[in-house]
Amino acid sequence: MSVSAIHAPSLDDVVDLMHGLFALEVKPFAKTTEAIYSIAEYANKAGEVVGYIGCDLAGGCRLGAALTQVPAGRVAEAVAEGAIPESLVENLNEVFNISVNLIVPADGSRVVFKRAVHGSSDAEFASIREKLESLSKSEFCFDVARYGVCQMFVAN
């Protein structure tokens, strides 16, 4: 994996991106200790993986719901069920696609969203989580108005 020369985003970068994406108030929040549930993989133009973004189950449901203003009650149902529903997976994957802006190579080269895995039932989740865990990670927690606290990890 090519991991050199990727700048880690700041909390302000993350909050600003999410605010612009959702048109909702997004505020920094104290760190939480939830397990990573969804992981996005990002690659350079040669197809080499250059970074990951991960989030916890509740955060992933909230981000997916906030994108299209799905009622917050649906988030609570999904978290209680212990899995992100397909409709929110599609939205979360779009959030991950837009979040490519948080994986910034120092040389200005282009990075693209490659794929995402969601939960341990995904056959590739364990191996991708292991790769994410082996890298330097920045952790961000923020509260999205009407939806709640999201925990996000950016690793490169």
Side-chain angles (χ1 to χ4, degrees):
M1 170 161 43
S2 173
V3 294
S4 62
I6 301 287
H7 294 293
S10 69
L11 178 58
D12 287 342
D13 294 333
V14 175
V15 167
D16 289 347
L17 180 69
M18 296 303 144
H19 169 72
L21 181 59
F22 304 134
L24 295 169
E25 182 178 18
V26 178
K27 297 186 290 190
F29 197 83
K31 289 185 179 181
T32 65
T33 57
E34 300 299 320
I36 295 173
Y37 184 85
S38 295
I39 304 169
E41 189 173 64
Y42 299 87
N44 62 19
K45 65 181 179 180
E48 301 169 313
V49 175
V50 296
Y52 298 92
I53 295 178
C55 61
D56 63 302
L57 172 62
C61 291
R62 290 172 180 141
L63 293 172
L67 182 66
T68 58
Q69 306 292 301
V70 171
R74 182 60 189 118
V75 171
E77 292 170 4
V79 172
E81 293 165 4
I84 185 168
E86 192 58 39
S87 60
L88 295 183
V89 164
E90 290 175 24
N91 289 354
L92 178 57
N93 285 349
E94 186 57 30
V95 171
F96 282 151
N97 185 40
I98 294 164
S99 295
V100 70
N101 295 304
L102 299 175
I103 307 287
V104 182
D107 65 3
S109 60
R110 186 167 188 256
V111 174
V112 297
F113 170 63
K114 185 175 178 181
R115 64 179 171 162
V117 295
H118 304 281
S120 59
S121 63
D122 188 303
E124 296 185 68
F125 181 81
S127 66
I128 291 175
R129 181 180 175 154
E130 186 176 307
K131 292 173 188 175
L132 179 147
E133 294 290 351
S134 72
L135 300 173
S136 173
K137 290 189 300 290
S138 298
E139 180 181 349
F140 306 99
C141 290
F142 50 92
D143 184 16
V144 178
R146 297 193 338 250
Y147 290 96
V149 177
C150 302
Q151 178 184 30
M152 181 179 280
F153 300 89
V154 178
N156 54 35

mmCIF file of all heavy atoms in Angstrom, residues 77-124:
data_model
loop_
_atom_site.group_PDB
_atom_site.id
_atom_site.type_symbol
_atom_site.label_atom_id
_atom_site.label_comp_id
_atom_site.label_asym_id
_atom_site.label_seq_id
_atom_site.Cartn_x
_atom_site.Cartn_y
_atom_site.Cartn_z
ATOM 1 N N GLU A 77 -33.878 2.932 14.975
ATOM 2 C CA GLU A 77 -34.300 1.568 14.647
ATOM 3 C C GLU A 77 -33.130 0.739 14.119
ATOM 4 O O GLU A 77 -32.940 -0.412 14.517
ATOM 5 C CB GLU A 77 -35.404 1.590 13.590
ATOM 6 C CG GLU A 77 -36.715 2.163 14.053
ATOM 7 C CD GLU A 77 -37.689 2.395 12.906
ATOM 8 O OE1 GLU A 77 -37.372 2.046 11.747
ATOM 9 O OE2 GLU A 77 -38.783 2.935 13.174
ATOM 10 N N ALA A 78 -32.357 1.321 13.205
ATOM 11 C CA ALA A 78 -31.232 0.594 12.606
ATOM 12 C C ALA A 78 -30.178 0.254 13.658
ATOM 13 O O ALA A 78 -29.651 -0.868 13.674
ATOM 14 C CB ALA A 78 -30.609 1.424 11.485
ATOM 15 N N VAL A 79 -29.878 1.191 14.537
ATOM 16 C CA VAL A 79 -28.884 0.939 15.579
ATOM 17 C C VAL A 79 -29.384 -0.166 16.511
ATOM 18 O O VAL A 79 -28.624 -1.070 16.877
ATOM 19 C CB VAL A 79 -28.540 2.238 16.345
ATOM 20 C CG1 VAL A 79 -27.671 1.944 17.555
ATOM 21 C CG2 VAL A 79 -27.852 3.232 15.415
ATOM 22 N N ALA A 80 -30.666 -0.125 16.861
ATOM 23 C CA ALA A 80 -31.241 -1.173 17.715
ATOM 24 C C ALA A 80 -31.181 -2.539 17.039
ATOM 25 O O ALA A 80 -30.975 -3.557 17.704
ATOM 26 C CB ALA A 80 -32.681 -0.824 18.086
ATOM 27 N N GLU A 81 -31.328 -2.553 15.706
ATOM 28 C CA GLU A 81 -31.253 -3.796 14.946
ATOM 29 C C GLU A 81 -29.813 -4.284 14.783
ATOM 30 O O GLU A 81 -29.573 -5.431 14.421
ATOM 31 C CB GLU A 81 -31.892 -3.616 13.565
ATOM 32 C CG GLU A 81 -33.389 -3.395 13.623
ATOM 33 C CD GLU A 81 -33.972 -2.866 12.317
ATOM 34 O OE1 GLU A 81 -33.234 -2.727 11.325
ATOM 35 O OE2 GLU A 81 -35.186 -2.591 12.306
ATOM 36 N N GLY A 82 -28.836 -3.394 15.000
ATOM 37 C CA GLY A 82 -27.428 -3.769 14.914
ATOM 38 C C GLY A 82 -26.866 -3.857 13.508
ATOM 39 O O GLY A 82 -25.820 -4.465 13.292
ATOM 40 N N ALA A 83 -27.559 -3.250 12.539
ATOM 41 C CA ALA A 83 -27.077 -3.283 11.155
ATOM 42 C C ALA A 83 -27.585 -2.050 10.414
ATOM 43 O O ALA A 83 -28.671 -1.549 10.706
ATOM 44 C CB ALA A 83 -27.558 -4.550 10.451
ATOM 45 N N ILE A 84 -26.801 -1.616 9.468
ATOM 46 C CA ILE A 84 -27.202 -0.468 8.656
ATOM 47 C C ILE A 84 -28.050 -0.977 7.484
ATOM 48 O O ILE A 84 -27.637 -1.881 6.762
ATOM 49 C CB ILE A 84 -25.967 0.333 8.193
ATOM 50 C CG1 ILE A 84 -26.385 1.602 7.455
ATOM 51 C CG2 ILE A 84 -25.012 -0.490 7.393
ATOM 52 C CD1 ILE A 84 -25.234 2.573 7.226
ATOM 53 N N PRO A 85 -29.268 -0.452 7.315
ATOM 54 C CA PRO A 85 -30.120 -0.919 6.221
ATOM 55 C C PRO A 85 -29.577 -0.484 4.863
ATOM 56 O O PRO A 85 -28.848 0.504 4.747
ATOM 57 C CB PRO A 85 -31.473 -0.258 6.508
ATOM 58 C CG PRO A 85 -31.184 0.869 7.421
ATOM 59 C CD PRO A 85 -29.918 0.556 8.141
ATOM 60 N N GLU A 86 -29.945 -1.230 3.842
ATOM 61 C CA GLU A 86 -29.418 -0.989 2.492
ATOM 62 C C GLU A 86 -29.640 0.448 2.022
ATOM 63 O O GLU A 86 -28.768 1.031 1.385
ATOM 64 C CB GLU A 86 -30.030 -1.979 1.500
ATOM 65 C CG GLU A 86 -29.331 -1.994 0.158
ATOM 66 C CD GLU A 86 -27.842 -2.323 0.223
ATOM 67 O OE1 GLU A 86 -27.437 -3.189 1.026
ATOM 68 O OE2 GLU A 86 -27.072 -1.704 -0.530
ATOM 69 N N SER A 87 -30.790 1.030 2.348
ATOM 70 C CA SER A 87 -31.049 2.409 1.914
ATOM 71 C C SER A 87 -30.045 3.377 2.531
ATOM 72 O O SER A 87 -29.591 4.319 1.872
ATOM 73 C CB SER A 87 -32.476 2.829 2.278
ATOM 74 O OG SER A 87 -32.666 2.755 3.685
ATOM 75 N N LEU A 88 -29.680 3.151 3.772
ATOM 76 C CA LEU A 88 -28.686 4.013 4.418
ATOM 77 C C LEU A 88 -27.267 3.664 3.968
ATOM 78 O O LEU A 88 -26.401 4.528 3.947
ATOM 79 C CB LEU A 88 -28.818 3.959 5.941
ATOM 80 C CG LEU A 88 -30.119 4.525 6.516
ATOM 81 C CD1 LEU A 88 -30.098 4.472 8.036
ATOM 82 C CD2 LEU A 88 -30.401 5.929 6.022
ATOM 83 N N VAL A 89 -27.020 2.400 3.600
ATOM 84 C CA VAL A 89 -25.718 2.011 3.036
ATOM 85 C C VAL A 89 -25.446 2.808 1.767
ATOM 86 O O VAL A 89 -24.353 3.347 1.576
ATOM 87 C CB VAL A 89 -25.650 0.493 2.748
ATOM 88 C CG1 VAL A 89 -24.491 0.150 1.822
ATOM 89 C CG2 VAL A 89 -25.543 -0.298 4.040
ATOM 90 N N GLU A 90 -26.446 2.895 0.898
ATOM 91 C CA GLU A 90 -26.275 3.661 -0.348
ATOM 92 C C GLU A 90 -25.927 5.107 -0.048
ATOM 93 O O GLU A 90 -25.028 5.689 -0.673
ATOM 94 C CB GLU A 90 -27.547 3.581 -1.191
ATOM 95 C CG GLU A 90 -27.797 2.216 -1.785
ATOM 96 C CD GLU A 90 -29.122 2.139 -2.519
ATOM 97 O OE1 GLU A 90 -29.635 3.188 -2.965
ATOM 98 O OE2 GLU A 90 -29.649 1.019 -2.645
ATOM 99 N N ASN A 91 -26.631 5.706 0.898
ATOM 100 C CA ASN A 91 -26.357 7.096 1.264
ATOM 101 C C ASN A 91 -24.983 7.237 1.909
ATOM 102 O O ASN A 91 -24.247 8.185 1.610
ATOM 103 C CB ASN A 91 -27.426 7.621 2.218
ATOM 104 C CG ASN A 91 -28.761 7.838 1.555
ATOM 105 O OD1 ASN A 91 -28.900 7.712 0.340
ATOM 106 N ND2 ASN A 91 -29.764 8.153 2.349
ATOM 107 N N LEU A 92 -24.638 6.317 2.807
ATOM 108 C CA LEU A 92 -23.329 6.390 3.458
ATOM 109 C C LEU A 92 -22.217 6.235 2.427
ATOM 110 O O LEU A 92 -21.204 6.941 2.498
ATOM 111 C CB LEU A 92 -23.199 5.326 4.548
ATOM 112 C CG LEU A 92 -21.852 5.278 5.269
ATOM 113 C CD1 LEU A 92 -21.516 6.632 5.910
ATOM 114 C CD2 LEU A 92 -21.849 4.171 6.317
ATOM 115 N N ASN A 93 -22.391 5.351 1.465
ATOM 116 C CA ASN A 93 -21.372 5.207 0.425
ATOM 117 C C ASN A 93 -21.199 6.508 -0.353
ATOM 118 O O ASN A 93 -20.083 6.855 -0.752
ATOM 119 C CB ASN A 93 -21.705 4.053 -0.518
ATOM 120 C CG ASN A 93 -21.443 2.704 0.118
ATOM 121 O OD1 ASN A 93 -20.826 2.595 1.175
ATOM 122 N ND2 ASN A 93 -21.931 1.658 -0.519
ATOM 123 N N GLU A 94 -22.273 7.242 -0.548
ATOM 124 C CA GLU A 94 -22.152 8.549 -1.213
ATOM 125 C C GLU A 94 -21.419 9.544 -0.318
ATOM 126 O O GLU A 94 -20.599 10.334 -0.793
ATOM 127 C CB GLU A 94 -23.526 9.088 -1.617
ATOM 128 C CG GLU A 94 -23.452 10.365 -2.425
ATOM 129 C CD GLU A 94 -22.631 10.246 -3.706
ATOM 130 O OE1 GLU A 94 -22.554 9.152 -4.302
ATOM 131 O OE2 GLU A 94 -22.032 11.267 -4.111
ATOM 132 N N VAL A 95 -21.675 9.505 0.981
ATOM 133 C CA VAL A 95 -20.924 10.347 1.918
ATOM 134 C C VAL A 95 -19.442 9.985 1.841
ATOM 135 O O VAL A 95 -18.573 10.867 1.793
ATOM 136 C CB VAL A 95 -21.459 10.210 3.361
ATOM 137 C CG1 VAL A 95 -20.544 10.912 4.363
ATOM 138 C CG2 VAL A 95 -22.885 10.752 3.455
ATOM 139 N N PHE A 96 -19.131 8.690 1.808
ATOM 140 C CA PHE A 96 -17.739 8.252 1.668
ATOM 141 C C PHE A 96 -17.146 8.744 0.348
ATOM 142 O O PHE A 96 -15.990 9.155 0.297
ATOM 143 C CB PHE A 96 -17.634 6.725 1.741
ATOM 144 C CG PHE A 96 -17.714 6.139 3.124
ATOM 145 C CD1 PHE A 96 -18.232 4.861 3.310
ATOM 146 C CD2 PHE A 96 -17.251 6.817 4.240
ATOM 147 C CE1 PHE A 96 -18.284 4.274 4.569
ATOM 148 C CE2 PHE A 96 -17.303 6.253 5.517
ATOM 149 C CZ PHE A 96 -17.826 4.978 5.674
ATOM 150 N N ASN A 97 -17.909 8.693 -0.712
ATOM 151 C CA ASN A 97 -17.434 9.157 -2.011
ATOM 152 C C ASN A 97 -17.061 10.643 -1.937
ATOM 153 O O ASN A 97 -15.995 11.048 -2.412
ATOM 154 C CB ASN A 97 -18.492 8.909 -3.082
ATOM 155 C CG ASN A 97 -18.009 9.248 -4.466
ATOM 156 O OD1 ASN A 97 -16.871 8.970 -4.826
ATOM 157 N ND2 ASN A 97 -18.871 9.838 -5.257
ATOM 158 N N ILE A 98 -17.908 11.433 -1.345
ATOM 159 C CA ILE A 98 -17.636 12.870 -1.210
ATOM 160 C C ILE A 98 -16.492 13.113 -0.228
ATOM 161 O O ILE A 98 -15.705 14.054 -0.397
ATOM 162 C CB ILE A 98 -18.920 13.603 -0.792
ATOM 163 C CG1 ILE A 98 -19.936 13.514 -1.929
ATOM 164 C CG2 ILE A 98 -18.640 15.057 -0.412
ATOM 165 C CD1 ILE A 98 -21.348 13.843 -1.538
ATOM 166 N N SER A 99 -16.348 12.256 0.762
ATOM 167 C CA SER A 99 -15.290 12.411 1.765
ATOM 168 C C SER A 99 -13.901 12.129 1.222
ATOM 169 O O SER A 99 -12.909 12.261 1.945
ATOM 170 C CB SER A 99 -15.583 11.507 2.970
ATOM 171 O OG SER A 99 -16.764 11.939 3.611
ATOM 172 N N VAL A 100 -13.796 11.769 -0.047
ATOM 173 C CA VAL A 100 -12.491 11.630 -0.696
ATOM 174 C C VAL A 100 -11.675 12.911 -0.484
ATOM 175 O O VAL A 100 -10.445 12.879 -0.474
ATOM 176 C CB VAL A 100 -12.644 11.273 -2.194
ATOM 177 C CG1 VAL A 100 -13.189 12.439 -2.991
ATOM 178 C CG2 VAL A 100 -11.329 10.790 -2.780
ATOM 179 N N ASN A 101 -12.371 14.025 -0.282
ATOM 180 C CA ASN A 101 -11.704 15.301 -0.044
ATOM 181 C C ASN A 101 -10.924 15.331 1.274
ATOM 182 O O ASN A 101 -10.144 16.256 1.500
ATOM 183 C CB ASN A 101 -12.728 16.436 -0.073
ATOM 184 C CG ASN A 101 -13.336 16.588 -1.446
ATOM 185 O OD1 ASN A 101 -12.632 16.760 -2.429
ATOM 186 N ND2 ASN A 101 -14.653 16.499 -1.523
ATOM 187 N N LEU A 102 -11.110 14.337 2.118
ATOM 188 C CA LEU A 102 -10.351 14.252 3.375
ATOM 189 C C LEU A 102 -9.059 13.456 3.218
ATOM 190 O O LEU A 102 -8.244 13.415 4.131
ATOM 191 C CB LEU A 102 -11.224 13.627 4.468
ATOM 192 C CG LEU A 102 -12.507 14.387 4.815
ATOM 193 C CD1 LEU A 102 -13.336 13.591 5.813
ATOM 194 C CD2 LEU A 102 -12.184 15.781 5.345
ATOM 195 N N ILE A 103 -8.872 12.794 2.086
ATOM 196 C CA ILE A 103 -7.657 12.026 1.793
ATOM 197 C C ILE A 103 -6.887 12.853 0.756
ATOM 198 O O ILE A 103 -7.184 12.790 -0.439
ATOM 199 C CB ILE A 103 -7.982 10.629 1.224
ATOM 200 C CG1 ILE A 103 -8.962 9.868 2.123
ATOM 201 C CG2 ILE A 103 -6.705 9.839 0.958
ATOM 202 C CD1 ILE A 103 -8.384 9.367 3.420
ATOM 203 N N VAL A 104 -5.929 13.643 1.215
ATOM 204 C CA VAL A 104 -5.270 14.627 0.349
ATOM 205 C C VAL A 104 -3.778 14.315 0.198
ATOM 206 O O VAL A 104 -3.004 14.517 1.127
ATOM 207 C CB VAL A 104 -5.449 16.051 0.913
ATOM 208 C CG1 VAL A 104 -4.810 17.072 -0.002
ATOM 209 C CG2 VAL A 104 -6.918 16.359 1.134
ATOM 210 N N PRO A 105 -3.369 13.834 -0.972
ATOM 211 C CA PRO A 105 -1.943 13.605 -1.217
ATOM 212 C C PRO A 105 -1.184 14.933 -1.290
ATOM 213 O O PRO A 105 -1.696 15.923 -1.826
ATOM 214 C CB PRO A 105 -1.903 12.903 -2.574
ATOM 215 C CG PRO A 105 -3.285 12.400 -2.795
ATOM 216 C CD PRO A 105 -4.192 13.352 -2.072
ATOM 217 N N ALA A 106 0.021 14.939 -0.763
ATOM 218 C CA ALA A 106 0.850 16.145 -0.769
ATOM 219 C C ALA A 106 1.163 16.607 -2.182
ATOM 220 O O ALA A 106 1.323 17.798 -2.433
ATOM 221 C CB ALA A 106 2.139 15.895 0.003
ATOM 222 N N ASP A 107 1.229 15.680 -3.131
ATOM 223 C CA ASP A 107 1.582 16.051 -4.508
ATOM 224 C C ASP A 107 0.374 16.507 -5.324
ATOM 225 O O ASP A 107 0.490 16.799 -6.514
ATOM 226 C CB ASP A 107 2.287 14.900 -5.217
ATOM 227 C CG ASP A 107 1.408 13.671 -5.414
ATOM 228 O OD1 ASP A 107 0.201 13.706 -5.061
ATOM 229 O OD2 ASP A 107 1.931 12.664 -5.928
ATOM 230 N N GLY A 108 -0.807 16.551 -4.707
ATOM 231 C CA GLY A 108 -1.994 17.017 -5.401
ATOM 232 C C GLY A 108 -2.617 16.004 -6.341
ATOM 233 O O GLY A 108 -3.548 16.330 -7.073
ATOM 234 N N SER A 109 -2.122 14.769 -6.340
ATOM 235 C CA SER A 109 -2.668 13.750 -7.242
ATOM 236 C C SER A 109 -4.101 13.391 -6.852
ATOM 237 O O SER A 109 -4.550 13.654 -5.742
ATOM 238 C CB SER A 109 -1.778 12.505 -7.242
ATOM 239 O OG SER A 109 -1.707 11.963 -5.952
ATOM 240 N N ARG A 110 -4.780 12.768 -7.773
ATOM 241 C CA ARG A 110 -6.195 12.432 -7.598
ATOM 242 C C ARG A 110 -6.352 11.130 -6.825
ATOM 243 O O ARG A 110 -5.657 10.149 -7.082
ATOM 244 C CB ARG A 110 -6.844 12.302 -8.976
ATOM 245 C CG ARG A 110 -8.327 12.095 -8.916
ATOM 246 C CD ARG A 110 -8.938 12.308 -10.304
ATOM 247 N NE ARG A 110 -10.375 12.287 -10.209
ATOM 248 C CZ ARG A 110 -11.123 11.259 -10.595
ATOM 249 N NH1 ARG A 110 -10.572 10.190 -11.118
ATOM 250 N NH2 ARG A 110 -12.433 11.311 -10.476
ATOM 251 N N VAL A 111 -7.292 11.135 -5.908
ATOM 252 C CA VAL A 111 -7.661 9.959 -5.130
ATOM 253 C C VAL A 111 -9.136 9.704 -5.381
ATOM 254 O O VAL A 111 -9.921 10.649 -5.513
ATOM 255 C CB VAL A 111 -7.392 10.191 -3.629
ATOM 256 C CG1 VAL A 111 -7.910 9.049 -2.787
ATOM 257 C CG2 VAL A 111 -5.908 10.407 -3.374
ATOM 258 N N VAL A 112 -9.533 8.431 -5.463
ATOM 259 C CA VAL A 112 -10.927 8.083 -5.695
ATOM 260 C C VAL A 112 -11.412 7.079 -4.646
ATOM 261 O O VAL A 112 -10.633 6.318 -4.081
ATOM 262 C CB VAL A 112 -11.146 7.486 -7.108
ATOM 263 C CG1 VAL A 112 -10.813 8.505 -8.184
ATOM 264 C CG2 VAL A 112 -10.349 6.221 -7.308
ATOM 265 N N PHE A 113 -12.709 7.124 -4.405
ATOM 266 C CA PHE A 113 -13.378 6.146 -3.546
ATOM 267 C C PHE A 113 -13.384 4.823 -4.302
ATOM 268 O O PHE A 113 -13.851 4.748 -5.435
ATOM 269 C CB PHE A 113 -14.802 6.628 -3.269
ATOM 270 C CG PHE A 113 -15.693 5.630 -2.596
ATOM 271 C CD1 PHE A 113 -15.422 5.161 -1.331
ATOM 272 C CD2 PHE A 113 -16.837 5.188 -3.236
ATOM 273 C CE1 PHE A 113 -16.271 4.251 -0.705
ATOM 274 C CE2 PHE A 113 -17.698 4.285 -2.627
ATOM 275 C CZ PHE A 113 -17.408 3.820 -1.356
ATOM 276 N N LYS A 114 -12.822 3.795 -3.697
ATOM 277 C CA LYS A 114 -12.715 2.496 -4.357
ATOM 278 C C LYS A 114 -13.878 1.576 -3.995
ATOM 279 O O LYS A 114 -14.527 1.006 -4.866
ATOM 280 C CB LYS A 114 -11.379 1.856 -3.983
ATOM 281 C CG LYS A 114 -11.083 0.562 -4.679
ATOM 282 C CD LYS A 114 -9.689 0.058 -4.338
ATOM 283 C CE LYS A 114 -9.416 -1.270 -5.011
ATOM 284 N NZ LYS A 114 -8.088 -1.775 -4.676
ATOM 285 N N ARG A 115 -14.125 1.429 -2.691
ATOM 286 C CA ARG A 115 -15.202 0.539 -2.229
ATOM 287 C C ARG A 115 -15.420 0.761 -0.743
ATOM 288 O O ARG A 115 -14.631 1.429 -0.073
ATOM 289 C CB ARG A 115 -14.844 -0.916 -2.471
ATOM 290 C CG ARG A 115 -13.628 -1.365 -1.681
ATOM 291 C CD ARG A 115 -13.310 -2.805 -1.927
ATOM 292 N NE ARG A 115 -12.011 -3.124 -1.327
ATOM 293 C CZ ARG A 115 -11.623 -4.343 -1.069
ATOM 294 N NH1 ARG A 115 -12.401 -5.363 -1.373
ATOM 295 N NH2 ARG A 115 -10.437 -4.565 -0.546
ATOM 296 N N ALA A 116 -16.488 0.173 -0.237
ATOM 297 C CA ALA A 116 -16.771 0.224 1.201
ATOM 298 C C ALA A 116 -17.252 -1.143 1.661
ATOM 299 O O ALA A 116 -17.837 -1.903 0.885
ATOM 300 C CB ALA A 116 -17.824 1.283 1.505
ATOM 301 N N VAL A 117 -16.977 -1.426 2.910
ATOM 302 C CA VAL A 117 -17.482 -2.637 3.554
ATOM 303 C C VAL A 117 -18.237 -2.205 4.803
ATOM 304 O O VAL A 117 -17.903 -1.199 5.430
ATOM 305 C CB VAL A 117 -16.354 -3.635 3.901
ATOM 306 C CG1 VAL A 117 -15.698 -4.165 2.641
ATOM 307 C CG2 VAL A 117 -15.315 -3.012 4.821
ATOM 308 N N HIS A 118 -19.269 -2.982 5.147
ATOM 309 C CA HIS A 118 -20.142 -2.603 6.263
ATOM 310 C C HIS A 118 -20.398 -3.824 7.137
ATOM 311 O O HIS A 118 -21.083 -4.759 6.712
ATOM 312 C CB HIS A 118 -21.461 -2.044 5.741
ATOM 313 C CG HIS A 118 -21.275 -0.893 4.808
ATOM 314 N ND1 HIS A 118 -21.011 0.375 5.254
ATOM 315 C CD2 HIS A 118 -21.287 -0.830 3.457
ATOM 316 C CE1 HIS A 118 -20.888 1.184 4.209
ATOM 317 N NE2 HIS A 118 -21.041 0.472 3.104
ATOM 318 N N GLY A 119 -19.831 -3.830 8.322
ATOM 319 C CA GLY A 119 -20.095 -4.869 9.297
ATOM 320 C C GLY A 119 -19.343 -6.156 9.063
ATOM 321 O O GLY A 119 -18.862 -6.438 7.968
ATOM 322 N N SER A 120 -19.246 -6.929 10.133
ATOM 323 C CA SER A 120 -18.457 -8.161 10.103
ATOM 324 C C SER A 120 -19.049 -9.241 9.211
ATOM 325 O O SER A 120 -18.363 -10.206 8.876
ATOM 326 C CB SER A 120 -18.268 -8.696 11.523
ATOM 327 O OG SER A 120 -19.519 -8.959 12.117
ATOM 328 N N SER A 121 -20.301 -9.082 8.789
ATOM 329 C CA SER A 121 -20.873 -10.084 7.873
ATOM 330 C C SER A 121 -20.319 -9.932 6.457
ATOM 331 O O SER A 121 -20.439 -10.856 5.657
ATOM 332 C CB SER A 121 -22.398 -9.985 7.853
ATOM 333 O OG SER A 121 -22.799 -8.723 7.365
ATOM 334 N N ASP A 122 -19.699 -8.802 6.153
ATOM 335 C CA ASP A 122 -19.050 -8.615 4.850
ATOM 336 C C ASP A 122 -17.778 -9.456 4.839
ATOM 337 O O ASP A 122 -16.946 -9.358 5.739
ATOM 338 C CB ASP A 122 -18.721 -7.138 4.624
ATOM 339 C CG ASP A 122 -18.222 -6.852 3.226
ATOM 340 O OD1 ASP A 122 -17.219 -7.471 2.810
ATOM 341 O OD2 ASP A 122 -18.817 -5.997 2.554
ATOM 342 N N ALA A 123 -17.592 -10.270 3.819
ATOM 343 C CA ALA A 123 -16.466 -11.202 3.746
ATOM 344 C C ALA A 123 -15.104 -10.509 3.828
ATOM 345 O O ALA A 123 -14.146 -11.107 4.313
ATOM 346 C CB ALA A 123 -16.556 -12.017 2.456
ATOM 347 N N GLU A 124 -15.007 -9.281 3.382
ATOM 348 C CA GLU A 124 -13.716 -8.595 3.375
ATOM 349 C C GLU A 124 -13.530 -7.631 4.546
ATOM 350 O O GLU A 124 -12.489 -6.989 4.663
ATOM 351 C CB GLU A 124 -13.545 -7.858 2.052
ATOM 352 C CG GLU A 124 -13.494 -8.821 0.879
ATOM 353 C CD GLU A 124 -13.197 -8.105 -0.412
ATOM 354 O OE1 GLU A 124 -12.060 -7.612 -0.538
ATOM 355 O OE2 GLU A 124 -14.102 -8.035 -1.249
#
